[in-house]
Amino acid sequence: MFSSFKLTDAEREALNAISTRIHRPAKRRVYTQGEPGNHIYRIRSGAVRLEHHMKDGRNQIFAFLWADDMFGTLEGGMYHTSAITLVDTYLFQISCSALKGLVEVYPRIQALFLQQALDYAKTAERDLSACDQKAGGVPAGMHPAEGFF
C-alpha cells in the first residue's frame, strides 16, 4: 500500500481477505457526505475527488486521490465528505468492523492506517494554508483542523 510501510505476507493476505474489489464508472459517487460510514476504501486504479457540501449550497473540493490512496474517514459514524470517481475506478472496499477485528490480530496494520491519516492531515493542512493565503482566509464553513480523522 505504501512505499514506506511494508506489510508482511501474512498481514497483506489478511487485509486482502477482508477487502472486496469494486468498480465505479467515471463520475459516479462512491458515497455521499452524511451517509452512515461502514467502509473505508483504497484505490487500486483510477482517481477520486473528495468534496465537502457547505451549508450555503456550494461544494468545496477537499482532495484528489490516486492509486494506493485511502479514503473514507468517519466522524460520528458518518462520512464527512462525498467521494466521486473522476475516471473509471477500481477500489478495495474494507468493512470498518472487519478492520477493527483485524488490527487486534495484526496491530501493525493499525500503524499503517494511522500513517495514512497523518499524511492526509498534513496534505489537507498544506492545501488549506495555501487556500488561506490566496483568499485571505479559510473558506466559509471550514475550520483548518476540522474532519481530518
Side-chain angles (χ1 to χ4, degrees):
M1 274 186 203
F2 305 95
S3 58
S4 62
F5 191 100
K6 302 294 183 198
L7 294 173
T8 66
D9 289 341
E11 291 167 337
R12 186 178 332 286
E13 288 175 20
L15 195 53
N16 285 336
I18 65 166
S19 300
T20 303
R21 289 170 174 82
I22 63 171
H23 168 255
R24 292 288 186 271
K27 300 179 183 177
R28 298 294 170 100
R29 289 195 183 274
V30 178
Y31 58 78
T32 301
Q33 178 180 328
E35 285 181 350
N38 299 315
H39 300 92
I40 61 169
Y41 300 86
R42 183 172 71 92
I43 302 172
R44 290 175 50 208
S45 65
V48 171
R49 176 183 72 229
L50 297 182
E51 60 185 33
H52 182 79
H53 308 294
M54 297 173 29
K55 291 178 182 176
D56 65 6
R58 294 180 296 144
N59 289 333
Q60 174 71 43
I61 295 175
F62 198 71
F64 291 99
L65 305 171
W66 316 101
D68 288 331
D69 284 340
M70 295 177 61
F71 63 99
T73 54
L74 306 173
E75 284 185 19
M78 308 290 244
Y79 293 116
H80 70 277
T81 60
S82 291
I84 299 103
T85 58
L86 298 173
V87 297
D88 211 35
T89 301
Y90 292 86
L91 303 160
F92 289 107
Q93 182 182 54
I94 305 167
S95 161
C96 292
S97 59
L99 182 60
K100 285 179 185 175
L102 186 68
V103 298
E104 290 178 15
V105 178
Y106 298 100
R108 276 180 14 102
I109 291 175
Q110 187 171 13
L112 169 75
F113 285 90
L114 178 59
Q115 185 60 53
Q116 176 71 17
L118 291 172
D119 290 346
Y120 178 71
K122 283 191 284 187
T123 299
E125 184 178 351
R126 187 173 49 247
D127 291 347
L128 286 173
S129 178
C131 180
D132 190 30
Q133 290 173 2
K134 288 180 185 176
V138 176
M142 291 190 71
H143 182 275
E146 183 178 54
F148 294 136
F149 297 100

